[in-house]
Amino acid sequence: MWRTVCAAVTVALQLLPHTVTAGHQTHQYYTTNDALLPQQDLFSIYEKRPEDCPPCFNCNLDDFVCMQYANCTRSSGKCACPPGFGGEDCSAPLCGSLAEGKDRLPRQGDQCECNEGWEGINCNVCKTDAACAPMMPPKQEDGAVCYREGLVVNENYQICDITNRKILDQLKEQKPQATFSCNAERQTCNFQFWVGQMESFYCALDTCNWKAEATETRNSTTYKCEHIQCSCIPGRFLCGAENSIDIGDFLDQEIRGPATFSTVRSENSKEDGSKFSEPAMNGLISSVFGDESIQLQCHSGECLYRTEVPGYERPIKKINTPLIAGVIAGCALFVVAAILLIFFLGRRSARRYGPIHLGDDEEEENAKLLADHKPAALYFDNVSYNLKGKQILTGITGAVHPGELLAIMGASGAGKTSCLDIMARKKKRGIVSGDFWLNGEKVTDDEFRSVIGFVDQEDTMLPTLTVHETILDSALLRLPKEMSVASKVQKVEDVERQLGIYHIRHQVIGSEEGNGRGISGGEKRRVGIACELVTSPSILFMDEPTSGLDAYNAFNVVECLVTLVKTYNRTVVFTIHQPRSNIVALFDQLILLAQGRTVYSGPFDKCQSYFDGIGYSCPPGFNIADYLVDLTMHASTPYDPNEQVEIAFSANGDDGTTRASSTRAVKSIASISNVSVVNSLGSGGESPHMLRPKAKRKASIRQQQERQLYSRKNTAEPTPHPPGGSVRSEGDSMLGDDERQQWVKLSKQQGQPPPPLNEDPHDLPPAAPGATGTELDVLISAYNESDVAAALRDDIHNAADTAAESNGHPHGTQPNGSGGAPHAGKVKGYRKPRLHTQFLILSRRTWRNIYRNPLLMLTHYAIAIILAVFIGFLFYGISDDLASFQNRLGFFFFILSLFAFSTLTSLTVFAAERLLFVRERAKGYYRPIAYYLSKVVFDIVPLRLIPPIIMGVIVYPMTGLVPAWAEFAKFMLFIVLFNLAAATICLFIGICVRNQGVANLLGVLVMLFSLLFGGFLLNHNTIPKSVAWLQNLSIFHYAFEGLIVNEARYLSLVDDQYGLNIEVPGSAILTSFGFNTLALWRDAIGLAVVCGVFLVLGYGALHVILVEKR
């Protein structure tokens, strides 16, 4: 029966609501949830036990009480003790520290051994920030703060020493102490009185509030609770202990409140201390111990996160608006100043050089320097050129002496330019063979190039420079370094006067693509000649100097060359396509080419008689140059036996309505040797000038032209002259005898003409190497067997023999004969200026080109300012929360992308001057390293260094990045290094790839590849290991990681977690994104290495790839 009643009672207890006795949570590491308390068999307490064994503790029974006014858990009968107390009834102090939570052990001896950083009877009071770290949320340990100011924030603990004199005297060696704590959420406090580490009584206070006051000399905190309840611990001091009073009933019945606990700290140490005051308690203390209240000296401690500390205010980021406005205004003023400077430099009058007076010694020294270049005769024999299996030139032979003008003529595709290039020792893509002599001696290619000048067919001058600046740069770079600058300027002006361009020396060269036309085509051609003549070359080569010019300007150019040749005893070799008659009259030597073979090579004054002698006479009044070109073209046409044409001549000019095209050509020069054309083709009764061709049957103009060109004289008898002297055609009737002697260098054929050649087109000479199988083989064979060719060969051999004898070699044993190797040291060029001088000259030229064409530079500056203001507006005042971290990432990503793709303009740095550099390098203007450095410096400084600095100084204060000079300097360092790295990469691509479309494509792909591995689109930790190494090649990775680490490494971002505004360290976020927080300087070094590597690679590509090969 007894067991049944006990079971029923137990079941009833189990069914009671658990909330009835559930205590309020007092600490985050404590709980009143029954599930967390040790469970025991509910029926074990009702089992039979020995009579001398006391019953087990069960707070559900009236005989068992939870001290500290702790809650009793109905389901287990255990007390839910407040922090720092344990045991079955919460009367035992716990040791260790609050950080140990429920794992704390009760005190075993007279006092507790607290963990490091903790103090108090029950080790509840913290002393250091590090002691609070374990109580912080995960990864927030660095934000732990031990707040010791005595003001409760969440739950405050204090340990106090009683200072009442009477109490101290009565207790003698036993130390009286008190512990005091408050909970802000419940607005409750508790108070314990201790003697010799033994608790005497405890109190619970509720409906509490507190305040703090601070002045310049005094700080105070006051707690006030409306209700208080106190209880004694039986048998303890003041509670019935031996030789002690018992105030248990007094505490239980009299103590009701309100109670205050106050602390004062001031400059006057007498006021410092704490007081616990309650009306009834004060009466007891006053009557028993003679003091107003319980007096204490306390130490408080509460573990908080740093943002919870009273008085802590998170710094509000302030944007310095005046600074931003000043920076923007400063940048705008800089651009305005740059525009005004460029406008002034571009519009100012070119420097007017006055008369230059040189001393006698200086003039003699300069003359001595220029005298080293002696007049030169050029000889070449059996020159051939083969390109990819195609024979371009075959067996070309020729000679030109000082004071002579050698013209190379031929139809398009005859090999004129190839022949000129080979004579000038240009590097060719094919295989070149043959022998070359300079003054009868063989010299090396480099030595030969040092004493010649070469003018290309296409002008490659900078359009922004003036005529004088263009020629002066050539003189400064190529004349002897020992020669003074004044002497070089004087030499330039002398050449300008010689070529008739002195009056335009301050005009800009100009171009159709640039700011407009400058000088004319003829003047531009003479400027190109002047750039070569200023160095006083021994031989001047020119590729079609009259190409693209009108007849008047073409004659002026050639006339200038004739003046140079005759006056200064120089040698000029040039190609010409179809010169007018007065230009032809100026030739001294002529090489006529057809399909890469020599039709004629020798003195021009023997040309007419030679072709008359072989039966190819120029028609009356026909330009011999046109005739010779037409002759080679038609002679190269395969013979068709089915094509036969008969041409008759009639005295009636009205019947001849169709005339051969050759007779319609320019008739400014008469063919003196063809005055007998009337007797050979028509009747003697007609006047010669009345004869006109008339077609008996239908014939095409082509057939008539061929018949006219290929008519040959079949008689060996001398041609009688008509009465009145020589016959003139329509074209030469306007020229008198004196004019003809001045402009026409043609000699009449004297005596009997040589026997005519065989007219049978099938009876061609035997095939020779390079034979065409056409009538051209007849012309080539005729020349090779002529006296002109023999005289030319004798001239070459005599020159070589003479040079050998002068060098001490017997006749026929000279080493420079045919097949001999050239010897160095035979000729020498000028000693060019040193590298730094070349760099300064080229830098000045590059700077002129920039400020006279400033669109690209000013566009970079304007875009930098406009985009900086726009970006600063979008990212204005970035805050310090987690959302702003994304803004930071986006800001850095965008600004790097902007710089990366704007540097694609570096692809064209060498594009506009690629041909100019190749040709100037081939002519020996400068070393490639000097040109490369000048271009790099004047591309990097104005276009790659200034724009990022402008943008950086604007966006940094606007976006509210870390306001520290060190971080700002690192920010500027990274954007500048990134800009330079991207520019050098694009520079390298632009040098290697000639096609601009392909270069742009490669540049974009390289930047996109670098962007992909930059760390924004792909987390480093997720990249497959097989390709993770590619991130080391990404300039975006170095710059992006460096910028974000510089900004966020020491930054704390606010995040609302665990009910707290937790400051998340920026380094933790950086680590989660895969960034290395310690790699800032490594990233800077990586960008610098990329810059250096691609600068070196760029020069290597320039040195190896940009070499002239024709």
Side-chain angles (χ1 to χ4, degrees):
M1 183 66 181
W2 182 82
R3 290 182 180 275
T4 304
V5 173
C6 289
V9 172
T10 303
V11 173
L13 291 174
Q14 286 182 300
L15 296 177
L16 288 175
H18 291 186
T19 58
V20 173
T21 59
H24 196 283
Q25 180 178 351
T26 58
H27 194 272
Q28 60 179 330
Y29 292 100
Y30 293 85
T31 180
T32 58
N33 191 338
D34 296 341
L36 300 180
L37 297 176
Q39 299 296 318
Q40 297 181 355
D41 187 356
L42 296 177
F43 297 99
S44 62
I45 61 175
Y46 300 105
E47 295 293 338
K48 291 182 178 182
R49 63 183 183 275
E51 294 181 357
D52 57 347
C53 180
C56 296
F57 183 88
N58 187 347
C59 61
N60 291 314
L61 302 179
D62 293 338
D63 293 337
F64 300 95
V65 179
C66 294
M67 296 187 182
Q68 320 304 333
Y69 298 105
N71 291 328
C72 177
T73 303
R74 288 288 183 91
S75 60
S76 63
K78 299 295 182 181
C79 296
C81 301
F85 293 92
E88 292 182 336
D89 58 355
C90 302
S91 61
L94 300 180
C95 298
S97 69
L98 281 175
E100 295 180 352
K102 64 181 181 179
D103 297 328
R104 301 176 66 180
L105 298 176
R107 185 174 65 185
Q108 301 298 324
D110 293 338
Q111 60 184 9
C112 281
E113 292 290 338
C114 297
N115 293 342
E116 183 179 358
W118 296 89
E119 66 177 344
I121 295 176
N122 49 5
C123 303
N124 279 0
V125 181
C126 65
K127 295 193 299 182
T128 62
D129 294 344
C132 296
M135 302 179 65
M136 296 298 107
K139 299 182 180 180
Q140 303 303 318
E141 291 81 2
D142 293 341
V145 175
C146 179
Y147 181 61
R148 298 177 62 85
E149 298 301 320
L151 184 67
V152 64
V153 177
N154 295 321
E155 191 164 13
N156 173 270
Y157 300 93
Q158 300 191 43
I159 176 66
C160 306
D161 294 333
I162 305 297
T163 59
N164 296 82
R165 180 177 178 182
K166 189 64 175 179
I167 296 177
L168 293 176
D169 292 343
Q170 185 175 354
L171 294 178
K172 295 182 174 48
E173 295 182 358
Q174 291 182 316
K175 185 178 181 180
Q177 292 177 300
T179 54
F180 181 79
S181 65
C182 292
N183 186 286
E185 184 179 358
R186 297 195 303 269
Q187 295 184 333
T188 60
C189 297
N190 59 73
F191 177 89
Q192 295 85 27
F193 185 86
W194 306 76
V195 177
Q197 300 281 323
M198 299 297 293
E199 186 177 8
S200 294
F201 66 88
Y202 53 88
C203 301
L205 302 88
D206 60 16
T207 317
C208 300
N209 57 74
W210 44 85
K211 65 179 180 178
E213 295 180 354
T215 64
E216 293 182 358
T217 59
R218 186 174 184 272
N219 294 336
S220 65
T221 58
T222 302
Y223 294 84
K224 183 176 181 181
C225 300
E226 298 298 331
H227 306 103
I228 182 172
Q229 182 181 5
C230 298
S231 296
C232 258
I233 299 178
R236 304 288 176 88
F237 179 75
L238 298 179
C239 294
E242 185 178 357
N243 299 325
S244 174
I245 63 176
D246 187 355
I247 62 173
D249 293 338
F250 172 78
L251 296 176
D252 184 51
Q253 297 175 11
E254 301 296 332
I255 302 298
R256 292 290 181 266
T260 60
F261 184 88
S262 60
T263 301
V264 175
R265 292 183 181 178
S266 65
E267 294 180 355
N268 185 0
S269 59
K270 294 181 179 179
E271 296 183 10
D272 291 354
S274 301
K275 295 180 180 180
F276 183 82
S277 176
E278 192 273 337
M281 181 69 69
N282 292 345
L284 174 65
I285 296 298
S286 175
S287 61
V288 176
F289 301 108
D291 294 320
E292 294 180 358
S293 61
I294 300 178
Q295 298 176 0
L296 314 99
Q297 286 290 341
C298 300
H299 300 282
S300 66
E302 179 179 3
C303 288
L304 300 175
Y305 192 71
R306 57 186 174 190
T307 58
E308 299 177 301
V309 176
Y312 173 84
E313 294 182 2
R314 183 169 183 82
I316 299 175
K317 187 171 293 184
K318 297 181 180 180
I319 304 299
N320 194 336
T321 304
L323 175 63
I324 296 172
V327 169
I328 295 175
C331 294
L333 289 176
F334 169 78
V335 174
V336 171
I339 294 175
L340 293 178
L341 177 63
I342 291 171
F343 179 82
F344 171 74
L345 293 175
R347 296 296 186 273
R348 70 173 183 172
S349 299
R351 180 181 175 185
R352 304 286 178 177
Y353 293 95
I356 301 174
H357 302 285
L358 302 177
D360 295 336
D361 295 340
E362 190 174 7
E363 289 184 354
E364 292 178 1
E365 183 66 22
N366 295 334
K368 181 179 179 181
L369 291 172
L370 296 178
D372 291 339
H373 278 253
K374 299 178 181 179
L378 177 64
Y379 305 93
F380 49 95
D381 183 30
N382 198 27
V383 175
S384 300
Y385 178 54
N386 186 283
L387 178 63
K388 298 179 180 180
K390 181 180 179 182
Q391 196 67 29
I392 307 298
L393 298 175
T394 303
I396 308 298
T397 302
V400 58
H401 305 87
E404 291 185 345
L405 195 71
L406 170 61
I408 304 176
M409 280 187 11
S412 297
K416 302 186 299 297
T417 300
S418 296
C419 182
L420 185 75
D421 291 342
I422 293 173
M423 291 168 62
R425 309 285 183 92
K426 295 289 184 181
K427 293 182 180 180
K428 303 293 288 183
R429 300 179 184 275
I431 301 174
V432 178
S433 61
D435 296 308
F436 301 88
W437 295 268
L438 185 66
N439 290 333
E441 296 181 320
K442 288 192 173 183
V443 297
T444 61
D445 292 347
D446 292 336
E447 290 181 347
F448 181 80
R449 296 190 192 104
S450 67
V451 297
I452 69 168
F454 193 96
V455 181
D456 289 281
Q457 181 177 352
E458 300 88 5
D459 299 313
T460 54
M461 294 170 283
L462 289 176
T464 55
L465 300 184
T466 64
V467 170
H468 183 77
E469 290 168 349
T470 301
I471 305 173
L472 181 61
D473 287 340
S474 176
L476 294 176
L477 289 168
R478 301 170 72 185
L479 286 177
K481 66 179 183 180
E482 297 86 359
M483 192 173 180
S484 65
V485 175
S487 300
K488 294 178 181 179
V489 175
Q490 181 66 56
K491 178 68 176 176
V492 169
E493 294 188 355
D494 291 343
V495 172
E496 289 171 350
R497 291 187 177 93
Q498 292 170 16
L499 296 178
I501 54 176
Y502 184 78
H503 65 287
I504 60 167
R505 65 188 184 281
H506 297 302
Q507 292 186 20
V508 177
I509 298 294
S511 68
E512 295 293 342
E513 296 80 11
N515 297 327
R517 289 182 57 84
I519 59 178
S520 66
E523 293 168 337
K524 191 176 297 184
R525 191 58 50 87
R526 278 182 279 172
V527 172
I529 298 172
C531 290
E532 301 302 318
L533 291 184
V534 75
T535 63
S536 296
S538 298
I539 306 176
L540 179 62
F541 294 90
M542 302 184 67
D543 188 11
E544 297 201 18
T546 61
S547 176
L549 302 181
D550 58 82
Y552 177 78
N553 283 313
F555 176 77
N556 286 339
V557 169
V558 178
E559 188 180 32
C560 290
L561 297 178
V562 172
T563 302
L564 171 71
V565 166
K566 303 303 180 183
T567 305
Y568 298 96
N569 200 30
R570 296 305 185 193
T571 304
V572 174
V573 181
F574 66 94
T575 62
I576 194 164
H577 182 63
Q578 208 165 7
R580 61 183 288 183
S581 57
N582 56 352
I583 293 178
V584 175
L586 303 178
F587 296 167
D588 296 308
Q589 298 286 332
L590 173 67
I591 296 179
L592 181 63
L593 299 179
Q595 295 188 11
R597 305 190 68 187
T598 306
V599 176
Y600 179 82
S601 178
F604 180 74
D605 56 5
K606 297 181 181 180
C607 175
Q608 180 67 39
S609 60
Y610 164 75
F611 281 101
D612 286 345
I614 64 173
Y616 292 92
S617 302
C618 181
F622 194 75
N623 185 352
I624 190 172
D626 294 336
Y627 172 77
L628 294 178
V629 172
D630 290 347
L631 174 64
T632 59
M633 288 296 296
H634 292 297
S636 303
T637 305
Y639 175 74
D640 185 359
N642 295 323
E643 184 179 5
Q644 297 180 358
V645 180
E646 293 183 7
I647 301 294
F649 291 86
S650 171
N652 186 2
D654 297 334
D655 295 336
T657 59
T658 302
R659 302 173 61 193
S661 61
S662 296
T663 62
R664 298 178 182 175
V666 180
K667 298 181 179 179
S668 57
I669 297 181
S671 180
I672 302 175
S673 60
N674 284 351
V675 295
S676 59
V677 66
V678 175
N679 293 333
S680 62
L681 295 178
S683 61
E686 303 283 23
S687 297
H689 63 277
M690 297 297 294
L691 292 178
R692 292 293 184 269
K694 178 181 178 181
K696 282 189 174 181
R697 59 191 178 96
K698 293 183 179 180
S700 66
I701 296 177
R702 166 73 178 274
Q703 292 170 336
Q704 295 181 40
Q705 185 179 18
E706 291 176 348
R707 182 66 178 176
Q708 174 70 14
L709 289 175
Y710 294 124
S711 2
R712 301 178 182 177
K713 293 177 285 185
N714 295 323
T715 176
E717 295 182 3
T719 304
H721 290 255
S726 62
V727 179
R728 298 177 182 175
S729 67
E730 297 176 8
D732 64 346
S733 60
M734 295 182 295
L735 294 177
D737 293 338
D738 295 339
E739 291 172 329
R740 184 180 302 107
Q741 292 297 327
Q742 180 181 359
W743 297 108
V744 182
K745 295 183 178 180
L746 302 176
S747 60
K748 298 182 179 180
Q749 182 179 358
Q750 302 295 332
Q752 298 289 340
L757 298 176
N758 190 358
E759 292 186 348
D760 186 358
H762 298 287
D763 188 14
L764 297 177
T772 63
T774 63
E775 189 79 9
L776 181 61
D777 294 340
V778 177
L779 297 176
I780 296 171
S781 178
Y783 170 75
N784 291 332
E785 298 173 359
S786 66
D787 295 337
V788 176
L792 177 61
R793 287 191 289 268
D794 291 341
D795 185 21
I796 295 174
H797 293 157
N798 291 335
D801 292 340
T802 302
E805 291 177 0
S806 64
N807 291 331
H809 299 283
H811 178 72
T813 62
Q814 66 274 19
N816 288 335
S818 180
H823 289 267
K826 297 298 182 181
V827 295
K828 65 177 183 177
Y830 298 131
R831 296 176 61 188
K832 302 296 177 60
R834 297 184 184 275
L835 178 63
H836 69 277
T837 305
Q838 295 178 4
F839 170 75
L840 293 177
I841 298 171
L842 293 172
S843 297
R844 182 176 60 188
R845 185 178 77 171
T846 306
W847 172 239
R848 285 172 179 162
N849 188 40
I850 289 177
Y851 76 71
R852 290 177 183 171
N853 188 21
L855 182 61
L856 179 62
M857 181 175 66
L858 294 181
T859 301
H860 272 79
Y861 295 165
I863 289 178
I865 295 177
I866 295 173
L867 285 181
V869 175
F870 180 70
I871 295 170
F873 172 74
L874 289 180
F875 296 94
Y876 188 82
I878 299 177
S879 59
D880 291 341
D881 52 19
L882 281 183
S884 68
F885 190 79
Q886 179 184 5
N887 291 343
R888 284 178 169 82
L889 294 176
F891 168 69
F892 292 138
F893 179 79
F894 177 80
I895 198 171
L896 291 179
S897 300
L898 175 65
F899 285 136
F901 289 102
S902 64
T903 54
L904 291 177
T905 56
S906 294
L907 293 171
T908 61
V909 169
F910 284 97
E913 299 182 20
R914 178 184 292 266
L915 183 59
L916 175 67
F917 166 76
V918 168
R919 290 181 174 176
E920 288 183 340
R921 178 185 182 183
K923 296 174 185 178
Y925 270 62
Y926 41 72
R927 299 181 189 177
I929 185 65
Y931 177 82
Y932 183 73
L933 290 177
S934 67
K935 294 299 291 184
V936 167
V937 169
F938 282 93
D939 178 71
I940 285 179
V941 173
L943 300 181
R944 314 299 164 200
L945 194 61
I946 296 179
I949 292 176
I950 292 176
M951 180 171 286
V953 298
I954 294 177
V955 299
Y956 198 91
M958 289 187 69
T959 53
L961 300 180
V962 178
W965 284 107
E967 278 68 23
F968 171 72
K970 295 172 190 174
F971 171 82
M972 298 299 297
L973 174 66
F974 272 98
I975 62 175
V976 168
L977 283 178
F978 175 80
N979 213 34
L980 296 181
T984 53
I985 292 174
C986 292
L987 186 66
F988 171 71
I989 296 174
I991 295 174
C992 294
V993 182
R994 184 171 186 174
N995 186 290
Q996 288 301 301
V998 177
N1000 283 324
L1001 177 61
L1002 290 178
V1004 171
L1005 290 178
V1006 169
M1007 293 304 160
L1008 288 177
F1009 162 81
S1010 181
L1011 185 148
L1012 179 63
F1013 288 92
F1016 182 78
L1017 302 177
L1018 275 176
N1019 190 298
H1020 173 74
N1021 300 324
T1022 63
I1023 300 176
K1025 294 183 179 180
S1026 59
V1027 295
W1029 60 273
L1030 291 174
Q1031 197 171 49
N1032 296 326
L1033 303 178
S1034 171
I1035 58 173
F1036 266 92
H1037 167 68
Y1038 292 124
F1040 192 64
E1041 184 177 64
L1043 288 174
I1044 195 64
V1045 168
N1046 176 61
E1047 171 66 17
R1049 178 170 54 171
Y1050 298 116
L1051 191 68
S1052 294
L1053 303 175
V1054 178
D1055 186 25
D1056 187 5
Q1057 292 183 7
Y1058 311 104
L1060 301 173
N1061 286 332
I1062 296 176
E1063 289 190 359
V1064 183
S1067 57
I1069 302 178
L1070 293 175
T1071 302
S1072 65
F1073 273 80
F1075 297 112
N1076 185 352
T1077 57
L1078 302 178
L1080 186 142
W1081 291 113
R1082 188 192 68 182
D1083 293 332
I1085 293 173
L1087 286 174
V1089 169
V1090 171
C1091 292
V1093 168
F1094 277 95
L1095 274 177
V1096 174
L1097 290 177
Y1099 173 70
L1102 181 80
H1103 190 81
V1104 175
I1105 297 176
L1106 297 188
V1107 178
E1108 185 181 44
K1109 288 185 179 180
R1110 295 173 175 249

